[in-house]
C-alpha cells in the first residue's frame, strides 16, 4: 500500500482523509515525528494547497497531499474564503461568533464550502476541487464535525454538518467530492495505490 503524507496537524481532517482514501496509508507529519508548519501566503485555495504539498514533500521526500478549504459566503463577497481558519484570529468558537455577527442583518445567507486538494510527488502536481452548497444557520446547531460545521446547513442533507454523522457528511462534503475526483486522477496518472 502506497503511503501519502498529508499536510495537516488537524486530527479531524486526518480522520476524514483516512476514511476516504482507504487504498492508501495516509499519515501526517506528527506520525513521522516531524514538526511541520508553513505560511499559507496564497490568494487561492489551489495556491495554498500547493505551497503546503511542496514544502512537505521537500521535508519528507515522499508523495504528499495538502488540502486548502474554506467557507465562502455570498453576502461577504466570498469571505472568509482562504482565510476561513484565521477569520477571527481565534479558534472555531470565535470564527463562528464573528460569522454570525457579520451576517446579523444580511438576508442572503447562501454559502458554499470549497476544497482544493493537491498531490505532489516531486514531479507531478495533480489537483482536484470539490464544492458543497448550503446556507448559514442563525445559530449553532450540532456538536459533530469542526470549524463552521455547526452553522452550515447543507443543501444535500437539509441539516447542519454539525448534526450530520461522519458518513453523512463524507458522502456530500466538499472534501469528499474533491477526494473522489483526486482518486480518479491518481488512478489514471500515478497508477492508483498499488
Amino acid at each position: 500500500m502506497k503511503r501519502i503524507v498529508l499536510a495537516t496537524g488537524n486530527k479531524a481532517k486526518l480522520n476524514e482523509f483516512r476514511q476516504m482514501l482507504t487504498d492508501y496509508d495516509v499519515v501526517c507529519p506528527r506520525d513521522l515525528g516531524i514538526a511541520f508548519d508553513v505560511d499559507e501566503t496564497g490568494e487561492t485555495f489551489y495556491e495554498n494547497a500547493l505551497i503546503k504539498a511542496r514544502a512537505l514533500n521537500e521535508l519528507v521526500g515522499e508523495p504528499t497531499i495538502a488540502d486548502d478549504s474554506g467557507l465562502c459566503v455570498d453576502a461577504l463577497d466570498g469571505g472568509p474564503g482562504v482565510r476561513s481558519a484565521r477569520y477571527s484570529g481565534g479558534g472555531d468558537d470565535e470564527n463562528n461568533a464573528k460569522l454570525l455577527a457579520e451576517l446579523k442583518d444580511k438576508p442572503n445567507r447562501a454559502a458554499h464550502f470549497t476544497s482544493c486538494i493537491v498531490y505532489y510527488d516531486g514531479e507531478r502536481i495533480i489537483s482536484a476541487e470539490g464544492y458543497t452548497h448550503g446556507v448559514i444557520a442563525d445559530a449553532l446547531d450540532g456538536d459533530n464535525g469542526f470549524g463552521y460545521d455547526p452553522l452550515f446547513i447543507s443543501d444535500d442533507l437539509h441539516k447542519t454538518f454539525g448534526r450530520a454523522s461522519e458518513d453523512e457528511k463524507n458522502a456530500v462534503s466538499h472534501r469528499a467530492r474533491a477526494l473522489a475526483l483526486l482518486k480518479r486522477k491518481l488512478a489514471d496518472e500515478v497508477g492508483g495505490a498499488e
Side-chain angles (χ1 to χ4, degrees), residues 70-81 99 103 107-114 131-137 148 151-156 161:
L71 180 67
C72 303
V73 181
D74 291 4
L76 302 179
D77 297 322
L99 180 62
L103 292 178
N108 179 6
R109 299 176 83 85
H112 66 274
F113 276 113
T114 299
Y131 307 90
T132 190
H133 295 270
V135 296
I136 303 302
Y148 298 97
L151 286 179
F152 184 78
I153 302 170
S154 162
D155 285 351
D156 295 296
F161 277 169

Side-chain angles (χ1 to χ4, degrees), residues 58-153:
E58 288 172 10
L59 193 61
V60 300
E62 26 184 330
T64 58
I65 288 184
D67 157 81
D68 196 45
S69 54
L71 180 67
C72 303
V73 181
D74 291 4
L76 302 179
D77 297 322
V82 295
R83 290 164 184 78
S84 291
R86 307 177 297 276
Y87 186 43
S88 69
D92 290 349
D93 292 341
E94 292 82 6
N95 287 340
N96 284 323
K98 180 174 180 178
L99 180 62
L100 287 173
E102 295 266 335
L103 292 178
K104 186 177 180 193
D105 298 319
K106 299 194 182 335
N108 179 6
R109 299 176 83 85
H112 66 274
F113 276 113
T114 299
S115 172
C116 181
I117 303 173
V118 171
Y119 166 94
Y120 183 67
D121 63 11
E123 298 173 11
R124 286 174 290 226
I125 299 169
I126 302 170
S127 68
E129 287 192 9
Y131 307 90
T132 190
H133 295 270
V135 296
I136 303 302
D138 293 325
L140 296 170
D141 183 25
D143 298 319
N144 295 335
F146 59 97
Y148 298 97
D149 287 353
L151 286 179
F152 184 78
I153 302 170

Side-chain angles (χ1 to χ4, degrees), residues 12 16 22-23 34 36 67 79 99 121 149 156 186 191-192:
E16 279 188 38
T22 56
D23 293 341
I34 296 170
F36 178 73
D67 157 81
L99 180 62
D121 63 11
D149 287 353
D156 295 296
L186 286 174

